[in-house]
Amino acid sequence: MTAAAEITDLAESVPAAPDPARVGAGGTRLRLRALAAMGHSDTRIARALDEPAWLVTKIINRTAMTVTPELRDSVGTLYDAWWDKRPPERTPAERAAAEATRTRARRGGWCAGMGLDDDEIDVPGYEPRCTWRPATGTGVADDDPFGAIARRRPPPDSRAEAV
């Protein structure tokens, strides 16, 4: 084997440097799962974030391992507004979506916001000590927590990345 081949083999075995335009999705995932534990569906969350529902689902399901800092911050802002609020259940469809989402969270063992340690949530590898418990919250969440802010973002494919 030549020296050049050895260097190439070594370079291929070293992981690529992390993309500075991306951050780990762990804290974002935990925040989204906590919202789901309250009954907020992927679709409802996506609508509030002005994102496609499949993007929220990828993050929640651990398919996306990184997100953009902008998406992380938007989820953080939404979480701050809704962590202790239930979704509206004005119609049969809203009630069904909320119940299905709470069932998914219960089966997944996802804890509500009260079970998360705010000082640790963004630390890589953090796992909450508690699991799902019924949560009633302090009221009903607003449908438009961002006040219809028009935001421009890059295409959705670039905001969450699988590993």
Side-chain angles (χ1 to χ4, degrees):
M1 180 180 281
T2 67
E6 288 176 25
I7 292 170
T8 302
D9 288 345
L10 179 61
E12 289 173 359
S13 67
V14 175
D19 183 348
R22 309 205 57 86
V23 295
T28 302
R29 177 177 305 104
L30 290 171
R31 286 179 178 91
L32 292 172
R33 286 179 172 185
L35 294 177
M38 293 299 293
H40 299 283
S41 69
D42 296 8
T43 302
R44 177 173 165 69
I45 293 168
R47 191 175 321 118
L49 294 171
D50 193 26
E51 298 288 354
W54 63 261
L55 180 65
V56 172
T57 302
K58 275 181 71 169
I59 298 166
I60 288 175
N61 288 344
R62 228 182 253 263
T63 306
M65 300 309 288
T66 64
V67 295
T68 63
E70 295 81 17
L71 181 58
R72 178 204 55 208
D73 294 346
S74 292
V75 170
T77 301
L78 180 64
Y79 174 79
D80 289 345
W82 283 0
W83 75 270
D84 63 341
K85 306 282 189 295
R86 298 179 313 276
E89 297 184 41
R90 302 167 286 222
T91 66
E94 286 179 339
R95 285 189 291 279
E99 187 54 36
T101 303
R102 283 189 287 267
T103 298
R104 177 180 173 210
R106 180 179 47 79
R107 288 181 179 156
W110 304 339
C111 69
M114 277 304 285
L116 298 175
D117 183 337
D118 291 338
D119 294 331
E120 300 290 325
I121 193 169
D122 290 310
V123 174
Y126 167 71
E127 290 292 330
R129 288 183 172 190
C130 75
T131 61
W132 184 88
R133 297 226 170 121
T136 57
T138 61
V140 177
D142 184 358
D143 282 331
D144 186 13
F146 292 111
I149 297 171
R151 299 178 308 271
R152 291 186 175 254
R153 295 202 177 112
D157 290 347
S158 65
R159 288 193 296 278
E161 184 174 275
V163 171

